[in-house]
Amino acid sequence: MDYEVYTVILNANNITNIISHSDKNTLLNIDTIASKIIANNKTSTIKVNNLYFSDYSYNYQKNNYITIINNSQVKERLRSLLLTSLIIFLLFECLIFYISKLITTWITKPAIESFNKQKNFIADASHELKTPLAVIMASADSLEINPTEKKWLNNIKQETDKMNNLITNLLNLSKLENGINKENYTITNISKIVEKQALTFESLAYENNIKIKTNIEKDIYFKSSPQEISELLSILIDNAIKHGKKNSTIKIELLTEKDSIIINVINKGEAIPKEECEKIFERFYRLDKSRNRASGRYGLGLAIAKNIVINHNGKISAFSKSGYTTFKVIFKR
């Protein structure tokens, strides 16, 4: 038998014989257990004790016999099973908690990032508007004291223009982020747009001792907003000139590759750190804040460029290699 079973033969509640029904050795003292059962029970009794704690169960027939079953193996198995179940339960609870935390973090990450960007946007916009407002207020006070001094009026006009440009850029960015009506998109020859923008910025490049070199494939047509594509090229070329080294060359490329249209604007200048390549497309983000503020730049241009590209189902990226910085735009035909 799989378990130890004993029959104790009784005669007037005296033990006369003990019969074992298994070949297993036992640590149980059957004589002592049988005597205890006889002493504790006045009538015939069947008792199955708690299998987690008791070492035996029995069937006591008064003045006849006692059948005793060794529960120790069952007890050990049940305890082992309980311990294993608890360990598995705790492991699964930890795993579920960890997975839940990952999922929660993943779900809330966009909302947190959006909230932080919105908070930073308000802080940055307030900061950018605060400086010209302070200059305007100070100039107005000085003009009140000395009405004949024209420089105060010039200061007010200059700072007002800066605020107007900033607000205009913010409105344009807000419009782009909210999406546009693509029904107004037309099949446009963007080769002519790129060529025109390159010619437009030649004078500015010349003033900065920079040359513009183009590699433009002819007659590339793309369903788009001509105004936005022109603004996109204007932002990228202007950015390349502002950050390009003196006596260097800016290369503007318009290429096709399989089902893609690729625009590259390449300039020689200070490299963009790898960890900053994604951040430069955020609103108000600037690598050199003092330089950009002095030149009236607010860090909105590349954010506008990114949204133009997104609205045309394209991708924009930036990277630096071997002293050259490339802004790459990819449109799918």
Side-chain angles (χ1 to χ4, degrees), residues 63 257 274 321:
N63 298 327
E257 185 177 306
K274 190 174 181 180
K321 185 178 181 181

Side-chain angles (χ1 to χ4, degrees), residues 84-296:
T84 302
S85 300
L86 287 174
I87 292 173
I88 293 174
F89 171 76
L90 291 175
L91 288 175
F92 270 100
E93 282 293 312
C94 293
L95 182 61
I96 292 171
F97 174 79
Y98 179 72
I99 293 174
S100 300
K101 187 176 180 181
L102 287 179
I103 294 175
T104 303
T105 303
W106 175 68
I107 292 174
T108 58
K109 185 178 180 181
I112 294 173
E113 288 180 351
S114 177
F115 175 77
N116 289 333
K117 286 182 179 179
Q118 193 71 20
K119 183 171 64 174
N120 293 335
F121 168 73
I122 294 172
D124 291 337
S126 301
H127 178 75
E128 295 295 349
L129 290 170
K130 183 179 180 181
T131 301
L133 280 174
V135 174
I136 291 171
M137 293 173 65
S139 298
D141 291 338
S142 300
L143 185 62
E144 187 177 5
I145 297 171
N146 190 358
T148 60
E149 189 65 59
K150 290 186 177 181
K151 70 176 182 179
W152 308 122
L153 285 174
N154 293 333
N155 288 343
I156 291 174
K157 185 177 183 304
Q158 184 179 358
E159 297 302 321
T160 302
D161 288 340
K162 288 182 179 179
M163 289 179 62
N164 183 59
N165 290 334
L166 174 59
I167 292 171
T168 300
N169 286 334
L170 288 174
L171 291 173
N172 289 338
L173 181 59
S174 177
K175 178 183 175 182
L176 290 168
E177 288 180 339
N178 290 329
I180 58 175
N181 186 3
K182 294 186 179 182
E183 293 180 358
N184 297 326
Y185 281 16
T186 58
I187 302 298
T188 306
N189 188 338
I190 63 173
S191 297
K192 291 184 177 180
I193 295 177
V194 175
E195 188 175 358
K196 180 182 178 181
Q197 290 301 317
L199 290 172
T200 301
F201 279 91
E202 276 191 347
S203 58
L204 179 61
Y206 179 78
E207 292 176 3
N208 288 271
N209 296 323
I210 293 174
K211 295 180 180 179
I212 293 180
K213 181 180 178 181
T214 59
N215 178 20
I216 302 171
E217 287 188 19
K218 298 296 183 182
D219 298 326
I220 297 178
Y221 289 90
F222 179 57
K223 189 174 183 180
S224 61
S225 167
Q227 295 80 12
E228 291 189 9
I229 297 298
S230 296
E231 186 175 5
L232 169 64
L233 267 297
S234 175
I235 291 169
L236 295 181
I237 298 172
D238 178 65
N239 184 74
I241 293 173
K242 295 293 184 182
H243 295 281
K245 286 185 177 180
K246 302 294 181 181
N247 302 314
S248 64
T249 300
I250 292 174
K251 189 174 183 180
I252 302 171
E253 297 179 333
L254 176 63
L255 311 168
T256 56
E257 185 177 306
K258 294 182 180 179
D259 61 343
S260 298
I261 298 172
I262 301 173
I263 299 173
N264 291 321
V265 178
I266 306 167
N267 73 304
K268 187 175 184 180
E270 186 176 351
I272 302 174
K274 190 174 181 180
E275 64 274 10
E276 306 289 335
C277 288
E278 291 290 335
K279 296 180 181 179
I280 60 175
F281 295 103
E282 296 177 2
R283 294 175 292 186
F284 290 109
Y285 189 84
R286 294 162 298 192
L287 289 173
D288 188 347
K289 296 186 178 181
S290 59
R291 178 182 172 184
N292 287 329
R293 187 174 291 116
S295 59

Side-chain angles (χ1 to χ4, degrees), residues 32-57:
T32 304
I33 293 173
S35 299
K36 185 177 179 181
I37 292 171
I38 294 170
N40 293 336
N41 296 278
K42 303 301 182 183
T43 59
S44 298
T45 306
I46 297 176
K47 187 170 185 181
V48 179
N49 291 310
N50 190 311
L51 297 179
Y52 282 101
F53 302 102
S54 177
D55 287 330
Y56 61 89
S57 299

